[in-house]
Amino acid sequence: MRPPVLDPLFAPVSSLPGIGPKIAKLLTGFLTQNPDREATVADLLFHLPHSVIDRRHKPGIAYSENGDIVTLDVMIDRHQAPPRGSKAPYKITAFDDTGQITFVFFHPRRDWLEKMFPAGERRIVSGKVEWFNSQPQMVHPDYVVSPEEADSLPTLEPVYPLTAGLASKTLQKGLGAAIDRIPHLPEWLDAAHQRRNHWQSFSEALVQVHKPDERQDLDPESPCVQRLAYDELLASQLALALVRAQMRQLGGIARATTGTLQKEVIAALPFELTASQQTSISEINDDLAKPVRMLRLLQGDVGSGKTVVALSALAQVIETGAQGALMAPTEILARQHYASMLTLCEKAGIRLALLTGKDSAKTRRDVQEKLLSGEIDLAVGTHALFQGSVAFRDLGLVVVDEQHRFGVHQRLALSAKGRGVDVLVMTATPIPRTLVLTSFGDMDVSRLTDKPAGRKPITTVSASLDRLEEIISRVGNAIQSGQKVYWICPLVEESEKIDLAAVGDRHRVLEQALGQPVSLVHGRMTADEKEAGMQAFKGGDTRVLVATTVIEVGVDVPDATIIVIEHAERFGLAQLHQLRGRVGRGDKPSTCVLLFKGPLGETASSRLNIMRQTNDGFLIAEEDLKLRGGGEILGTRQSGMPGFRIADAESHADLMETARDDARLILDKDPQLKSERGEALRALLYLFGRDEAIALLRAG
């Protein structure tokens, strides 16, 4: 049960004055990732300002610089209304001891202006000054008050991110009412830690961020922002630590073997293992031999050979008589894993099966019966694998590919299909350490840092879309010499129809220009159509594949040597790097062409530069984090850390480490959160939407 002290914060935003159903709906779409529940007062309070307008600057009219926001104490002189039917603006002149200024209004209501600016009276006016023909003017001032109301003018006015249809004044009014509802909450921080950092209470910090005394109060390093960021990180780390404790509590099985089956898989490989593959395999073997459930993240750049490491781990578990499962996020990927493992499994005598949502009822029933009887050692599939009805005789190890596309729940659902199931999570998105902590908690990490022998580096070039014809003719020459080419078009979700038209157009243009059939694959096609397009390209019936980013992860065509990415400026770094990894998989030199539409902004320009300079995915991930926060690296849309509203990867990385250690200590001392601080921490978990973790406490 949620502690009653939090009730005011969980009231819907429509309970605040000035927020009707329409604005509430707008705020819900803007502030939450969940349209099924109305945004709460807490959602609104966690929407922090990004800057402030300082209205304390009062230089006098003559000393106001062009473009400055100033507050002036003036005497209103006269009104100049434009003639009827004219489009000219309405002007009001005013003066102080230093000079004269004109206030300018377009489409005004005259009666309102005469009331706000009565001739011959004093007014305090605040807004942006612009000098025009050596005369100062202020277009549509932000504030106009009488000297008696001067105190109502905000001295430091916070500025918030807005969305279409939401006026700044409406948001400010709602926030003013929300701030009045902040309750006094029990303190969940360690007292010594709080004193050392000079942090005020949670409620005081929240008020200060919305009502700053100084510009610096909004800096990520300011004590009030640090306090709030730490609370959010602590909630996240505590929740992850509880999930981890739950997994540990369920106990693991020591899977010690002779390693014969694993050696057979490795012997069947047509290449030598790299040093980091060998290290990762031995780290996983050590984990499996312990009576504690393994929870390990295997990070490997595109083409670094993660599947081989996963299959070696699965062989180790299968040798003990248990079964393995590999779960991929898409059907294309699942089929690909199946195809790439089939020969190795046949040579080593591992019985392999594929299970996807598209299988016929009979095939599915067959596979399920064999899983239950133990006639299948290893199942590869999409999330169809963890749906209720699928049962294993003795599931020992689950490998989850492209982790960021699966939630913790799905991971737990699959690992609950056996006793003491070990979990290995793979990702081709190199994730900086900070983000590993935010998303996976205290997971053990293995990294594949070297590419398999014989792989050639990829040459990356960028070119303006103005050179499209030249690029197409070069693609023509390349396919004449027997090469294969990917041509990627961007897909922007807001305008899917336009983009599908663009993909279709590009497909037609290339077929005409090249005079031969071209494969087409995009997200709106059925799985069969996609498969047919991919197979034609793979088998060589077509030599060019036009696609949206559905081919981003895991598509393997070793003889494709060129990838053209259209509108490269629309993609994030991690995604460009993933796409580039579709080529350079064989022993021939490969090229990635980034086509952009100029002029480029600073961030887009930096991205393309980094892509040209390096093929190192880990370096790219770190740069990506600097350029736009870790939001998209793990597939979430907002910037900042994924799933975080206050904490920011770059500014608060050290807080993340402390929060992880703090969470560990808390659970060592008080595993059920029963103490006084434990009760306060339960409130913290609810406050930041991590209440699923509390259910684990009850279950535990």
Side-chain angles (χ1 to χ4, degrees), residues 296-308:
R296 183 171 283 277
L297 176 67
L298 176 64
Q299 275 190 264
D301 206 348
V302 179
S304 59
K306 293 182 295 297
T307 313
V308 170

Side-chain angles (χ1 to χ4, degrees), residues 533-548:
M534 283 302 309
Q535 284 310 331
F537 180 58
K538 220 171 173 175
D541 301 335
T542 58
R543 307 212 68 83
V544 178
L545 170 67
V546 173
T548 53

Side-chain angles (χ1 to χ4, degrees), residues 582-695:
R582 299 301 110 226
V583 295
R585 297 178 151 246
D587 50 8
K588 294 197 175 66
S590 294
T591 309
C592 168
V593 182
L594 304 172
L595 284 181
F596 63 85
K597 185 171 168 48
L600 287 177
E602 201 180 326
T603 307
S605 188
S606 306
R607 269 187 208 142
L608 301 190
N609 278 336
I610 291 162
M611 287 294 292
R612 285 199 301 267
Q613 286 158 11
T614 181
N615 274 298
D616 179 341
F618 290 104
L619 188 68
I620 284 173
E622 300 289 348
E623 289 300 322
D624 203 15
L625 194 57
K626 283 182 199 149
L627 281 179
R628 48 126 209 233
E632 288 170 64
I633 292 183
L634 291 175
T636 52
R637 298 283 298 263
Q638 71 278 48
S639 69
M641 287 194 200
F644 290 90
R645 294 186 266 193
I646 300 165
D648 163 76
E650 248 192 299
S651 315
H652 302 132
D654 53 335
L655 294 181
M656 170 64 76
E657 301 268 358
T658 315
R660 184 196 49 168
D661 296 343
D662 199 359
R664 217 187 270 164
L665 275 171
I666 289 163
L667 291 187
D668 283 349
K669 286 186 191 159
D670 182 15
Q672 286 292 313
L673 300 185
K674 288 272 174 59
S675 65
E676 192 179 337
R677 185 183 178 197
E679 290 295 339
L681 285 160
R682 286 173 179 242
L684 171 73
L685 289 168
Y686 274 109
L687 185 58
F688 283 101
R690 299 284 196 260
D691 35 69
E692 295 136 357
I694 293 172

Side-chain angles (χ1 to χ4, degrees), residues 42-252:
D43 290 323
L44 186 58
L45 287 166
F46 290 148
H47 183 61
L48 302 192
H50 57 69
S51 57
V52 293
I53 295 171
D54 190 342
R55 299 195 184 277
R56 294 173 298 189
H57 186 41
K58 301 176 180 176
I61 293 171
Y63 306 109
S64 298
E65 302 270 341
N66 186 39
D68 274 7
I69 288 183
V70 299
T71 300
L72 302 172
D73 186 339
V74 297
M75 189 65 88
I76 307 301
D77 186 18
R78 65 178 196 280
H79 287 239
Q80 290 168 274
R84 266 189 190 289
S86 154
K87 292 212 162 105
Y90 189 107
K91 295 180 176 177
I92 301 168
T93 51
F95 58 89
D96 67 6
D97 298 344
T98 70
Q100 181 175 309
I101 189 166
T102 308
F103 300 125
V104 180
F105 293 88
F106 295 91
H107 318 296
R109 275 190 34 220
R110 184 169 179 165
D111 55 339
W112 180 80
L113 287 176
E114 285 172 344
K115 189 172 151 203
M116 293 301 286
F117 296 88
E121 290 194 26
R122 246 179 87 206
R123 284 292 177 266
I124 314 290
V125 184
S126 188
K128 187 191 213 173
V129 170
E130 290 164 316
W131 286 76
F132 188 67
N133 288 342
S134 306
Q135 297 295 316
Q137 61 176 29
M138 194 182 279
V139 180
H140 289 266
D142 301 330
Y143 289 92
V144 184
V145 296
S146 65
E148 297 75 45
E149 301 167 316
D151 288 349
S152 69
L153 193 82
T155 47
L156 273 185
E157 183 181 4
V159 182
Y160 294 87
L162 294 170
T163 184
L166 180 64
S168 173
K169 294 251 165 88
T170 311
L171 182 70
Q172 302 253 18
K173 187 178 175 194
L175 270 159
I179 290 166
D180 293 339
R181 295 198 184 177
I182 299 174
H184 175 70
L185 297 172
E187 186 52 75
W188 46 72
L189 290 191
D190 171 68
H193 181 220
Q194 188 180 1
R195 269 197 309 279
R196 232 184 355 264
N197 287 290
H198 309 293
W199 287 344
Q200 64 245 87
S201 72
F202 169 81
S203 311
E204 288 164 342
L206 197 52
V207 171
Q208 183 151 8
V209 169
H210 289 291
K211 293 184 170 179
D213 296 327
E214 288 301 331
R215 210 177 265 276
Q216 291 78 0
D217 288 343
L218 297 190
D219 289 350
E221 284 78 28
S222 77
C224 52
V225 176
Q226 289 238 332
R227 158 81 216 224
L228 298 174
Y230 187 77
D231 289 332
E232 186 172 31
L233 293 172
L234 181 59
S236 150
Q237 289 304 301
L238 194 54
L240 285 165
L242 284 163
V243 170
R244 191 74 196 263
Q246 163 91 344
M247 290 193 78
R248 288 247 159 91
Q249 204 177 356
L250 295 171

Side-chain angles (χ1 to χ4, degrees), residues 434-583:
T434 329
L435 289 183
V436 170
L437 286 176
T438 60
S439 328
F440 306 104
D442 199 15
M443 238 179 176
D444 302 308
V445 179
S446 295
R447 281 184 141 184
L448 299 179
T449 48
D450 33 19
K451 288 267 202 305
R455 291 272 169 99
K456 296 272 193 294
I458 303 165
T459 308
T460 303
V461 295
S462 57
S464 164
L465 269 164
D466 303 338
R467 292 170 54 195
L468 186 63
E469 283 178 24
E470 180 195 334
I471 302 287
I472 292 177
S473 97
R474 288 197 178 188
V475 164
N477 295 338
I479 59 177
Q480 291 306 318
S481 70
Q483 298 187 60
K484 284 187 187 171
V485 181
Y486 289 107
W487 192 293
I488 305 300
C489 300
L491 190 64
V492 179
E493 284 167 21
E494 287 76 17
S495 54
E496 235 173 292
K497 292 188 183 66
I498 305 167
D499 287 311
L500 281 183
V503 176
D505 286 347
R506 181 60 67 234
H507 178 246
R508 273 192 300 281
V509 167
L510 287 171
E511 280 201 327
Q512 279 167 355
L514 302 171
Q516 55 176 278
V518 167
S519 285
L520 175 66
V521 174
H522 60 69
R524 288 284 180 88
M525 291 175 149
T526 65
D528 286 345
E529 289 168 331
K530 282 186 210 165
E531 186 68 23
M534 283 302 309
Q535 284 310 331
F537 180 58
K538 220 171 173 175
D541 301 335
T542 58
R543 307 212 68 83
V544 178
L545 170 67
V546 173
T548 53
T549 51
V550 289
I551 70 131
E552 178 188 343
V553 180
V555 171
D556 196 9
V557 182
D559 54 348
T561 51
I562 296 173
I563 184 162
V564 178
I565 303 172
E566 209 172 314
H567 280 295
E569 77 280 358
R570 291 197 200 170
F571 294 95
L573 253 182
Q575 202 178 21
L576 287 172
H577 179 63
Q578 284 275 10
L579 287 165
R580 174 169 64 182
R582 299 301 110 226
V583 295

